[in-house]
């Protein structure tokens, strides 16, 4: 897969994850949760929206850094004690770099 193809694939993953978060975030309030359809309650049960938000944050940081060469301090400026997980950032970067074909990466004409 080329870097451009990977970028488009990741962009779509981020969009679908953002839509899930947007649907589930209002259900954190018990009143909204009980009024929601059962299918949505099952999709958003427990800490789903929180874990998706955490995953999206890390994906967004690596996406901006890897594809747009944006330095971290321009992506976000978290408060003390709210830094992203460096382990998770490294894991995502490695997964994405492994998907890029070496031939496509080095054979640019």
């Amino acid at each position: 897969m080329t870097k451009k193809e990977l970028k488009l694939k990741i962009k779509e993953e981020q969009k679908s994850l953002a839509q899930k978060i947007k649907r589930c975030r209002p259900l954190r309030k018990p009143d909204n949760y009980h009024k929601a359809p059962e299918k949505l309650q099952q999709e958003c049960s427990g800490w789903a929206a929180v874990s998706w938000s955490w995953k999206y944050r890390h994906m967004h940081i690596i996406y901006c850094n890897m594809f747009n060469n944006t330095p971290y301090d321009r992506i976000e400026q978290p408060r003390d004690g709210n830094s992203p997980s460096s382990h998770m950032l490294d894991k995502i970067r490695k997964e994405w770099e492994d998907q890029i074909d070496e031939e496509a990466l080095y054979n640019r004409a």
Side-chain angles (χ1 to χ4, degrees), residues 35-65:
K35 291 178 184 176
E38 189 172 327
K39 184 178 179 183
L40 188 59
Q41 286 180 358
Q42 290 175 349
E43 180 184 355
C44 302
S45 65
W47 291 88
V50 175
S51 66
W52 291 333
S53 296
W54 188 80
K55 181 179 178 181
Y56 182 88
R57 175 188 183 198
H58 289 79
M59 286 175 67
H60 174 72
I61 292 168
I62 293 300
Y63 178 87
C64 291
N65 186 263

Side-chain angles (χ1 to χ4, degrees), residues 48-105:
V50 175
S51 66
W52 291 333
S53 296
W54 188 80
K55 181 179 178 181
Y56 182 88
R57 175 188 183 198
H58 289 79
M59 286 175 67
H60 174 72
I61 292 168
I62 293 300
Y63 178 87
C64 291
N65 186 263
M66 192 169 162
F67 296 108
N68 301 334
N69 295 322
T70 308
Y72 174 71
D73 61 330
R74 303 252 343 255
I75 299 169
E76 70 172 11
Q77 297 171 352
R79 66 181 184 277
D80 291 340
N82 193 27
S83 298
S85 167
S86 59
H87 173 71
M88 185 66 169
L89 293 173
D90 292 340
K91 180 181 172 190
I92 293 171
R93 180 180 292 276
K94 180 161 177 23
E95 284 177 14
W96 291 355
E97 286 176 346
D98 288 346
Q99 291 181 33
I100 298 173
D101 293 334
E102 287 186 32
E103 292 176 16
L105 192 61

Side-chain angles (χ1 to χ4, degrees), residues 8-23:
L8 293 174
K9 177 184 168 212
I10 292 166
K11 191 77 163 169
E12 289 303 315
E13 287 177 17
Q14 286 181 315
K15 284 180 184 179
S16 68
L17 195 55
Q19 289 172 344
K20 283 181 172 179
I21 294 166
K22 191 173 183 176
R23 276 195 315 268

